[in-house]
Amino acid sequence: MTTKTFSLGGDLTINRLGFGAMRLATGTFDGPTRPSATGIAVLRRAVELGVNHIDTAGFYGRGGVRANEQIRTALAPYPADLVIATKVGPLPGPDGVPSGQATPDQLRGLVETDLRTLGLDRLDLVYLRVGGMTGPGGESIADRFAALAELRAEGLIRHLAISNVDAAQFAEARTVAPVTAVQNTYADDSALLAECEAAGIAYVPYFPLGGGGTPLDTERLGKVAARRGATTAQIAIAALLATSPSVLAIPGTGTLAHLEENVAAGDIDLGDEDLSELRG
């Protein structure tokens, strides 16, 4: 990792190793809830360890345990350098899984809810999350992104971003308003990553540690981990950060032990031999 920070939108300097809040309330969308106090402790420790980029969403949580409320309880009043990114678009179905999609007219309400639950007057970064639990589907996103651009013009949002998109959707969004970040599933999407890097746009892979049905190559990671005295998860995070200076990592967890392990990965600088072995 050549640099540990990234200039988000040209005016927000954040550490490239951040924190994903999806697992604070539950291990999975349909899993049992974790004790809220545990999540609050994890958040406070994350900030103590230098994390200043937290990725959340209003649909993260189950029942009365919600990530946004945990973030507000743990960290408000917020540190001056803390950047909170949220996502809007998915609508939970009867089972609580976010399988539906909001219309352009519904996005304002979702943004206002995030503002209220987080206790903010303006959201630093808002992703339009496209589609359900599957990969990018090629649908037009112009009307929905334009609705968020209107909220940005009103001062409710500082920067706009998109999630779970393909190259055409990325290009379409950029004709509507500036795109500050792209959050896609962890995959080798080198062409889109190269576009982001050239434009100074953050590329933020989700499920960076093998979630979402994309398992890690534990055999290859394990060899490097053994040589470096690290865990496979730490090497996976370090390798992700070594991919490009535009890549931000947001590993999530609901336990203090895993948090400490994940954050420590930011101090691992992989050498040429390590990277060669990992990339085959």
Side-chain angles (χ1 to χ4, degrees), residues 42 47 74 99 142 147 156 169 172 174 184 234 240 244 247 261 280:
V42 167
V47 171
S99 53
L156 300 182
Q169 291 168 326
E172 182 183 37
R174 295 182 73 189
N184 276 4
Q234 287 176 322
L240 183 64
S244 163
V247 168
E261 177 184 326

Side-chain angles (χ1 to χ4, degrees), residues 4-280:
K4 294 182 181 293
T5 63
F6 182 84
S7 180
L8 188 68
D11 61 357
L12 296 172
T13 299
I14 59 173
N15 295 324
R16 290 178 58 211
L17 181 52
F19 178 81
M22 188 184 79
R23 298 187 185 278
L24 282 176
T26 66
T28 61
F29 280 122
D30 56 354
T33 58
R34 304 183 194 269
S36 185
T38 302
I40 290 169
V42 167
L43 286 161
R44 289 174 176 165
R45 183 58 178 153
V47 171
E48 289 174 357
L49 293 171
V51 170
N52 65 354
H53 169 214
I54 295 176
D55 181 89
T56 186
F59 52 88
Y60 286 176
R62 295 279 290 177
V65 184
R66 316 296 299 186
N68 282 2
E69 282 86 350
Q70 288 176 301
I71 292 169
R72 181 176 184 176
T73 299
L75 303 176
Y78 298 110
D81 67 338
L82 181 66
V83 171
I84 299 177
T86 187
K87 290 171 286 296
V88 295
L91 296 176
D95 58 358
V97 176
S99 53
Q101 291 196 77
T103 65
D105 291 341
Q106 292 173 307
L107 291 173
R108 175 182 289 273
L110 296 177
V111 168
E112 290 176 344
T113 297
D114 281 349
L115 286 165
R116 184 178 68 255
T117 56
L118 289 166
L120 293 168
D121 296 322
R122 180 176 65 171
L123 298 170
D124 293 320
L125 181 67
V126 175
Y127 290 90
L128 173 65
R129 175 58 161 83
V130 182
M133 302 301 288
T134 58
E139 63 198 273
S140 173
I141 64 173
D143 289 347
R144 282 171 286 170
F145 202 61
L148 292 183
E150 290 180 8
L151 299 179
R152 177 176 176 266
E154 292 177 23
L156 300 182
I157 300 171
R158 187 168 187 165
H159 293 299
L160 298 175
I162 47 178
S163 176
N164 198 40
V165 296
D166 58 22
Q169 291 168 326
F170 174 62
E172 182 183 37
R174 295 182 73 189
T175 68
V176 175
V179 174
T180 299
V182 173
Q183 187 174 133
N184 276 4
T185 187
Y186 178 51
D188 183 15
D189 193 357
S190 56
L192 186 53
L193 172 57
E195 284 193 67
C196 287
E197 184 175 333
I201 296 171
Y203 188 88
V204 192
Y206 60 86
F207 293 141
L209 296 180
T214 307
L216 293 175
D217 185 348
T218 54
E219 181 178 356
R220 185 173 295 180
L221 290 166
K223 291 179 181 178
V224 176
R227 185 167 64 242
R228 297 299 302 266
T231 67
T232 55
Q234 287 176 322
I235 297 302
I237 294 170
L240 183 64
L241 291 170
T243 304
S244 163
S246 290
V247 168
L248 309 181
I250 50 168
T253 181
T255 72
L256 287 168
H258 284 155
L259 171 70
E260 300 270 355
E261 177 184 326
N262 290 344
V263 174
D267 294 325
I268 299 174
D269 288 319
L270 298 174
D272 292 341
E273 179 184 359
D274 301 320
L275 294 172
S276 177
E277 186 169 341
L278 290 170
R279 295 167 180 167

